[in-house]
Amino acid sequence: MIINKAANPIRVGVLGFGGLGQAAARILAAKQEMSLVTVADHHGYVYQPQGINIDTAISTYHERQSVGYLAEGGVLSSNSIQDVLENGVVDGYFLALPNLPNTFMADVARQFIQSGWKGVLVDALKRTSAVEQLLELQTALQEAGITYLTGCGATPGLLTAAAAVAAQSYAEIHSVKITFGVGIANWEAYRATIREDIAHMPGYDVEQARAMSDQEVAALLDKTNGVISLENMEHADDIMLELAGICDRDRVTVGGVVDTRNPKKPLSTNVQVTGRTFEGKISTHTFTLGDETSMAANVCGPAFGYLKAGVALNSRGITGLFTAAEIMPQFVK
Ligand code: NAD
């Protein structure tokens, strides 16, 4: 199916072309208002100002592990993010990159600031400490003319934003409880996501998970029958809801179950927001995602909704760092 693009589509770049990056590209293929013009992975990049052929990009990546091998516009590079920054004309990027080490995304943000590029950046960061590093770049982002929206995946992201809306019924918020269920057919499709989840398991940290070989990850998953169960995770939903003035971060809890051997969700992803109304009633709003929606749909859909909102802000001269809990995503046609 060929979708005709709008007259001046938003020119989008996707950095990182693993599980989420490829899903993001597939989503863009069906959008009129956005055109995917550049993709970068660890070993190269592709830039095609008229729009990338997404099927070819995905099959090339699967066959040769880099879009740099694409005949049209592909370049092999060990410095692909910097190369894309220097060579592409792009309005906004979705950073579908692993945050390994935990400082990686903040380093990428600094790279953008130093390059003099102006535009919109969106990430799907997960850890509180990673968002805290970006907060330190608030002024630098503002001065650079960059509108950076952080935590714009599913959790943090869609569910955090839903909590911020749900909170409006209450005079006081007692708790926000996020429980996610993720089902994927095989862990290799989302290596960074799974490594970052392992980093939350008792006895593991980010550096250990990052250093694990694929064989070690597979051996660990063999022991757990492919299932990772997590509770009380360090998740940026807490700092995002605190910054948005909804509640203190210690009232926000995040946990979930990831099945790496079955695309069916092990449980329904939901957020429960409990509070007291102005009449003194205690109640709970629950927002549950449809079980048929995949992690990729719930991360990449919101990411582009926030990217569109970011472009609107940026064109009005509004720059700096925002979270998914303080901006309403727009719908991308
Ligand atoms: P992945 O491992 O499948 O793919 C990572 C991609 O990044 C690969 O294409 C790799 O080549 C590329 N890459 C790595 N280092 C690079 C570099 N220095 N320069 C350019 N490209 C580089 O990753 P994934 O499973 O799709 O996850 C991506 C991120 O999304 C993770 O950080 C994960 O935590 C996050 N995520 C967020 C949510 C959410 O709801 N907020 C949900 C799932 C995943």
Side-chain angles (χ1 to χ4, degrees), residues 15-22 40-44 61 65-66 78-81 94-100 104-105 108 123-127 151-158 182 187-197 235 295-296 298-299:
L15 303 187
F17 206 50
L20 286 185
Q22 291 166 46
D41 59 46
H42 207 23
H43 306 292
Y61 186 84
Q65 285 76 53
S66 178
S78 54
N79 210 5
S80 60
I81 298 177
F94 173 35
L95 309 175
L97 294 161
N99 193 36
L100 297 167
F104 185 65
M105 209 63 87
V108 170
D123 72 37
L125 268 188
K126 294 210 275 203
R127 281 192 180 255
C152 298
T155 168
L158 180 55
V182 168
W187 85 271
E188 289 94 342
Y190 293 96
R191 284 189 169 88
T193 301
I194 299 307
R195 277 203 175 77
E196 289 177 38
D197 283 342
H235 242 235
M295 174 177 78
N298 291 319
V299 172

